[in-house]
Amino acid sequence: MSIQYNNYSSLTDYIDRNANYAFNQCFYASKLTLIRGALIVGLAPKAHLSLTKELVEWKISTMLAFIDTNTPFSIQNADELEMSERVTIAYFIGMVFAQIHMQSQYNVRHLEHLKNPGITPKSLPEDLKNPDIWGLNHRTGNSYLVEAKGSTVSNEYFNNQNVRKADSQLRAIKQIDYTVSGITLTYSQAISNLEKLIVATHPNLDNEIMQHIIDPKDEEDKVVKVNGDEMVYKHYSHLVKILSEENYKIINLESLPKFKFRTIDFDVYNCSIGLLEDVYQILKPLVVREKEVLKDLNDINKEVNLILDRFEKISNYDLENEKVSVGIDGVIVLLKS
């Protein structure tokens, strides 16, 4: 099955309904892709340590309760909720589908959630205008600052007012200072290595999932500091913790004989979830500690991405079907064998 989307070169082009292409574009995604997105999205620097298997099941069941995963994806059950409940569900749906889009279409392995504690913007404490996520394409060196928006209301287009709000949140950021192993790199539109995107997800008039990808250009004066080692640690640590506490299996895929995955079963969803064993082994000694110390995380970004570089060369990310979904970050969801 596929997810439809349109690209727009600016906020003005979106308001004028002037898409880059005459027809909707699309990319492949399955029910397992949706589960994988729900599993990873929305992590926090400290709260992830208490993300139990029950909470993971809640994240997955929330998506499956409101997304009909038959072809094509569509919204279901949302009309039964009152408005404040719909807003909460819409935000989560928007984040999950933005995560899926950025991994699939922009080859971003790890996404830092900028509204979490621990991210250090140079701004007033009461300024809450940070966009949602930032991530880096390791092949091209380009990075992406993303504001994710979601809605459960069927319409031909996403609400203009909410898109304008997303634009203002993106414009607030001037640059990202990204530190890995003591070296800080700067990402900004001024040096052409930072792209700002609004990813707005909603049901169209046929109730099918539709995405609008809008590229605002303006910027203001906030600088956000991201630690690359902590970013990678946070991306995986809750999953590594669960994998270390549950009964697990080590599996191979026929198409990837040189790589092993550590998986656990989720019987209620008839699937297994897991992670590349090599990545798991790097993270495992860290997540068993009561509290991580930043110096303990030195070089995990480099070590994990070296594994993923090898994984990319062999897999070509051609592992998306109705039986298995493997992300570019090495996270796997597959039907139970």
Side-chain angles (χ1 to χ4, degrees), residues 33-302:
T33 313
L34 195 69
I35 292 174
R36 184 166 53 79
L39 177 67
I40 291 299
V41 78
L43 306 183
K46 301 298 182 288
H48 66 284
L49 293 177
S50 60
L51 192 59
T52 63
K53 188 174 181 180
E54 288 76 17
L55 285 174
V56 171
E57 289 179 349
W58 173 84
K59 286 159 67 79
I60 296 171
S61 63
T62 298
M63 289 303 293
L64 297 183
F66 296 101
I67 302 296
D68 184 342
T69 56
N70 293 315
T71 303
F73 289 145
S74 60
I75 295 290
Q76 63 182 7
N77 298 327
D79 289 341
E80 309 303 319
L81 301 177
E82 55 94 9
M83 189 53 64
S84 62
E85 293 174 320
R86 291 187 68 159
V87 169
T88 301
I89 297 303
Y91 176 78
F92 188 52
I93 287 173
M95 288 291 291
V96 171
F97 276 97
Q99 173 103 7
I100 292 169
H101 191 98
M102 295 310 297
Q103 283 202 340
S104 171
Q105 300 303 293
Y106 291 87
N107 294 313
V108 176
R109 293 171 180 168
H110 310 113
L111 290 161
E112 177 71 90
H113 294 264
L114 301 182
K115 293 177 179 176
N116 291 330
I119 307 303
T120 311
K122 289 184 177 177
S123 59
L124 297 175
E126 64 270 15
D127 182 357
L128 301 177
K129 291 200 300 182
N130 277 4
D132 289 308
I133 48 182
W134 176 82
L136 175 66
N137 182 322
H138 284 264
R139 286 189 283 176
T140 65
N142 199 29
S143 74
Y144 301 91
L145 189 65
V146 179
E147 175 63 18
K149 293 294 182 186
S151 173
T152 59
V153 178
S154 297
N155 212 327
E156 188 174 1
Y157 289 92
F158 202 89
N159 180 276
N160 283 352
Q161 181 179 351
N162 288 335
V163 171
R164 287 193 177 97
K165 181 181 177 181
D167 175 64
S168 71
Q169 289 171 280
L170 287 170
R171 282 192 291 106
I173 303 298
K174 178 182 179 181
Q175 72 183 49
I176 304 289
D177 286 345
Y178 179 59
T179 302
V180 179
S181 301
I183 299 173
T184 299
L185 301 175
T186 295
Y187 293 86
S188 73
Q189 289 184 323
I191 55 178
S192 301
N193 61 3
L194 176 66
E195 186 172 349
K196 298 180 178 182
L197 298 172
I198 300 165
V199 180
T201 304
H202 70 104
N204 62 20
L205 293 176
D206 294 322
N207 205 37
E208 299 170 359
I209 290 294
M210 177 73 193
Q211 293 186 299
H212 300 281
I213 319 301
I214 304 148
D215 188 2
K217 300 297 183 186
D218 297 328
E219 59 187 35
E220 293 183 11
D221 59 357
K222 284 174 65 175
V223 176
V224 172
K225 296 181 179 295
V226 175
N227 183 286
D229 291 316
E230 188 179 24
M231 177 182 186
V232 168
Y233 173 78
K234 289 184 294 185
H235 186 88
Y236 295 109
S237 56
H238 82 290
L239 179 56
V240 171
K241 188 169 188 288
I242 291 172
L243 290 171
S244 68
E245 294 173 345
E246 300 286 332
N247 293 326
Y248 68 90
K249 294 182 290 187
I250 302 295
I251 67 165
N252 288 96
L253 300 179
E254 288 186 11
S255 55
L256 291 171
K258 294 184 179 180
F259 290 94
K260 298 180 185 297
F261 294 87
R262 179 174 295 243
T263 66
I264 60 173
D265 292 338
F266 277 68
D267 294 335
V268 67
Y269 304 115
N270 191 34
C271 73
S272 301
I273 67 170
L275 180 63
L276 276 171
E277 176 68 4
D278 289 346
V279 174
Y280 172 85
Q281 290 298 336
I282 291 173
L283 275 293
K284 181 185 175 182
L286 297 167
V287 301
V288 298
R289 301 178 186 180
E290 198 68 30
K291 183 178 181 181
E292 82 280 2
V293 178
L294 199 55
K295 65 180 178 63
D296 296 333
L297 308 181
N298 283 347
D299 292 331
I300 67 166
N301 185 297
K302 179 181 178 180

